Amino acid sequence: MEKLVRASQTGDQEAFALLYDEFATKIYKFITFKISDTEQAEDLLQEVFIKAWRGCGSLDLHNLNFSAWLYTIAGNTVNDYFRKVYRRPQTVSLNEEIDIIATDDTSTQADNSINSDIVQKALSNLPTNYKQVLELRFIENFSVEETATILKKSNVTVRVLQYRALKKLEGLFKHKI
Amino acid sequence: MERDKIINEYKKHTQQMHALSLEAKERVKTQILSEMRTTREDLYKVTTKQRFWSFTLMRLGTVTAVILIVLTSTAYASSDSLPGDALYPVKRVVENARVAFTSTTESKTKLEVQFTEERLRELDAIETRKSIPVRAEKALNIETTALTNTTTKQEQESADQNKPKAKAEAEVTKAIGSLEIQVRKLNNKGRHSEAEELSNTIDRFKMRANRRQNKENDRETQKTKDTIQKNVEITTPLQIQNNRENEERINSDGNK
């Protein structure tokens, strides 16, 4: 990874293309937590990597987490998009929770098997903040501090979001597991 | 439920969510690569421009630093200079700047007293500088006209030596005058005790200047006496010789 980044810094487009291959899917997923429109998400994905290409020349590779840096660019790019479109960044209140659909209510379940499509839908309806924290903390394995930096939130907020997200998931998967 | 199990379930269910299709991935990649080529060229131009300006600014910064060092060194070197020296004007500029940038009247007065002391010190220093020796032995070996020339040369050299001294004396007078103005200002403001204190300081300076002047006058008088004496010592034998020759001529003419 570091070799690819160093090569990109010197202008090696092929090396940067490899970095793109590595991270494109993850960054795209991250973008789509907030942007539902796929075309717009692809445009923003392009924008993220263009910014990364321009900025990588001046990167200090000492103690750098390139992945976290890329996610930070993605977060900023999405916020800039909302700022342009809605004249304010799209933020979700800490207390905002979207009700998981009624089928989560275990009292309506006749048996313990849950249709995975329903789970998928429930998961896609999770609040954006929860999805972001789950993605960054448990899929990308970023630390709390790195996650806080990417999301521009405090460490405490990240921990709270994580706790609530896991609680939601626990309720969702209780009957599956 | 164990956290790890929850996470695993989450990963399982979200693997295909928000997926980027291969086609979309390649499409975006192509667009990025095309943009990258253009961006690098632009960046090169920008970087060159940035490099030019940063180099220019660096040079300007270096030049400024050198100028500041030279000015500081010159100011420092000028601190011991005396009237007539090349760096003396620099010394006075620095002093005037110090007075100008002082905020309170008390500080200004203190500085002016300090600088008046310095003027007197300069005058003393000029006095103790090595003076040009009187060429007495030459005056003994030449005729009256040559003696006259030497005397003129001595007077010339003395005059040259007196230029810095005259300058220094003028500076002392000016400095004392400046303090006297401060005394008047203090009296006008009703600060009589400070005015009196400053007045006493001025008197001390004046006494010191007078003592120095008296010593100078005594030295000059003695020099003049010495010169006259030497002239007499040289001239008298010559005169006697001349008189004898004149007498002999007269006598020989008379006998004709």
Side-chain angles (χ1 to χ4, degrees):
Chain A
M1 175 76 61
E2 199 179 313
K3 279 184 186 170
L4 287 177
V5 175
R6 281 192 199 282
S8 301
Q9 285 184 309
T10 61
D12 187 342
Q13 293 184 3
E14 278 180 28
F16 192 79
L18 289 172
L19 285 172
Y20 168 82
D21 290 337
E22 174 73 26
F23 287 102
T25 313
K26 298 174 190 180
I27 298 295
Y28 179 80
K29 190 174 174 184
F30 184 75
I31 291 170
T32 53
F33 288 157
K34 282 192 175 180
I35 309 286
S36 52
D37 183 83
T38 51
E39 269 187 42
Q40 189 58 56
E42 285 169 20
D43 286 345
L44 291 179
L45 175 68
Q46 181 185 333
E47 202 175 318
V48 166
F49 278 91
I50 295 295
K51 283 180 182 177
W53 170 247
R54 285 179 182 158
C56 73
S58 55
L59 267 184
D60 179 13
L61 290 178
H62 182 64
N63 292 329
L64 169 79
N65 186 331
F66 180 79
S67 181
W69 179 70
L70 209 53
Y71 271 95
T72 308
I73 295 174
N76 290 339
T77 305
V78 170
N79 283 340
D80 287 345
Y81 166 75
F82 280 113
R83 208 172 275 119
K84 275 183 220 165
V85 173
Y86 299 106
R87 296 209 176 105
R88 59 184 168 84
Q90 189 80 331
T91 54
V92 179
S93 153
L94 189 62
N95 293 320
E96 184 183 311
E97 290 177 11
I98 297 171
D99 289 331
I100 303 297
I101 54 174
T103 52
D104 184 45
D105 185 353
T106 56
S107 65
T108 65
Q109 296 299 321
D111 53 28
N112 289 335
S113 66
I114 299 176
N115 190 320
S116 67
D117 287 340
I118 294 170
V119 169
Q120 292 267 2
K121 198 167 182 184
L123 287 173
S124 68
N125 284 338
L126 276 177
T128 307
N129 279 354
Y130 290 11
K131 285 193 271 189
Q132 286 177 326
V133 168
L134 289 170
E135 183 72 18
L136 295 174
R137 287 284 289 130
F138 303 114
I139 310 298
E140 295 300 320
N141 295 312
F142 289 134
S143 65
V144 170
E145 290 75 20
E146 285 168 335
T147 306
T149 305
I150 292 166
L151 299 179
K152 292 191 178 10
K153 295 187 191 312
S154 66
N155 292 357
V156 170
T157 306
V158 168
R159 284 185 216 279
V160 169
L161 286 170
Q162 177 183 301
Y163 172 79
R164 290 184 182 182
L166 289 173
K167 265 285 182 229
K168 271 288 181 212
L169 290 182
E170 191 182 13
L172 188 64
F173 298 135
K174 209 173 357 184
H175 299 286
K176 184 134 173 70
I177 297 167
Chain B
M1 189 189 297
E2 280 178 33
R3 191 169 101 161
D4 290 341
K5 284 182 183 168
I6 296 171
I7 302 300
N8 287 338
E9 277 299 310
Y10 175 75
K11 282 180 184 174
K12 209 165 66 176
H13 282 94
T14 57
Q15 216 163 359
Q16 294 307 311
M17 281 174 71
H18 308 284
L20 179 66
S21 68
L22 272 170
E23 187 201 337
K25 192 175 177 181
E26 286 307 308
R27 187 173 60 244
V28 171
K29 186 176 178 178
T30 309
Q31 286 163 350
I32 290 169
L33 286 171
S34 147
E35 185 72 31
M36 272 161 63
R37 280 181 213 106
T38 321
T39 305
R40 275 287 151 151
E41 281 164 13
D42 289 342
L43 269 180
Y44 177 75
K45 284 181 201 163
V46 169
T47 314
T48 313
K49 207 176 174 182
Q50 278 175 344
R51 257 192 252 136
F52 169 75
W53 280 111
S54 67
F55 179 66
T56 307
L57 285 171
M58 204 171 69
R59 275 172 70 176
L60 276 172
T62 311
V63 167
T64 310
V66 165
I67 290 171
L68 279 172
I69 289 168
V70 166
L71 284 174
T72 312
S73 318
T74 311
Y76 181 73
S78 71
S79 59
D80 286 334
S81 59
L82 298 174
D85 291 349
L87 288 179
Y88 189 71
V90 176
K91 179 177 178 179
R92 293 310 313 279
V93 164
V94 169
E95 285 178 2
N96 291 341
R98 282 181 67 186
V99 172
F101 286 112
T102 311
S103 47
T104 63
T105 314
E106 289 88 351
S107 318
K108 271 191 168 70
T109 309
K110 258 189 190 167
L111 274 178
E112 287 189 3
V113 167
Q114 195 181 318
F115 293 146
T116 309
E117 291 257 18
E118 180 62 17
R119 299 290 89 78
L120 287 165
R121 190 199 67 80
E122 285 165 4
L123 197 46
D124 291 340
I126 282 174
E127 289 289 325
T128 57
R129 258 187 184 171
K130 201 176 177 186
S131 56
I132 299 160
V134 177
R135 294 182 180 81
E137 62 278 11
K138 275 195 184 174
L140 292 173
N141 296 332
I142 54 180
E143 294 177 38
T144 315
T145 49
L147 177 64
T148 311
N149 284 343
T150 309
T151 309
T152 308
K153 220 178 176 183
Q154 281 177 359
E155 284 170 2
Q156 181 64 41
E157 283 160 352
S158 186
D160 286 343
Q161 195 181 2
N162 279 341
K163 270 184 192 161
K165 204 158 67 178
K167 246 188 181 172
E169 282 168 352
E171 292 288 348
V172 167
T173 309
K174 196 173 152 190
I176 290 175
S178 187
L179 288 178
E180 282 168 342
I181 292 171
Q182 289 295 331
V183 168
R184 279 201 290 280
K185 279 184 181 172
L186 287 168
N187 276 323
N188 289 344
K189 286 180 184 175
R191 288 150 78 169
H192 301 295
S193 58
E194 286 170 64
E196 194 179 330
E197 196 182 324
L198 185 55
S199 209
N200 292 338
T201 307
I202 293 170
D203 289 341
R204 279 202 307 276
F205 286 152
K206 281 181 175 173
M207 270 172 54
R208 195 168 142 188
N210 288 340
R211 264 204 306 272
R212 194 209 58 77
Q213 187 60 44
N214 291 339
K215 266 192 202 166
E216 170 77 11
N217 290 342
D218 290 343
R219 262 204 303 272
E220 285 298 317
T221 307
Q222 189 58 43
K223 254 165 88 175
T224 309
K225 276 186 184 169
D226 289 345
T227 308
I228 290 170
Q229 183 62 29
K230 283 199 167 42
N231 283 350
V232 164
E233 284 169 8
I234 293 161
T235 313
T236 309
L238 267 173
Q239 261 186 350
I240 293 169
Q241 177 78 13
N242 282 344
N243 288 342
R244 212 178 280 151
E245 283 170 5
N246 282 340
E247 268 181 38
E248 283 170 5
R249 210 181 298 126
I250 291 166
N251 288 340
S252 66
D253 287 343
N255 289 339
K256 278 183 190 165

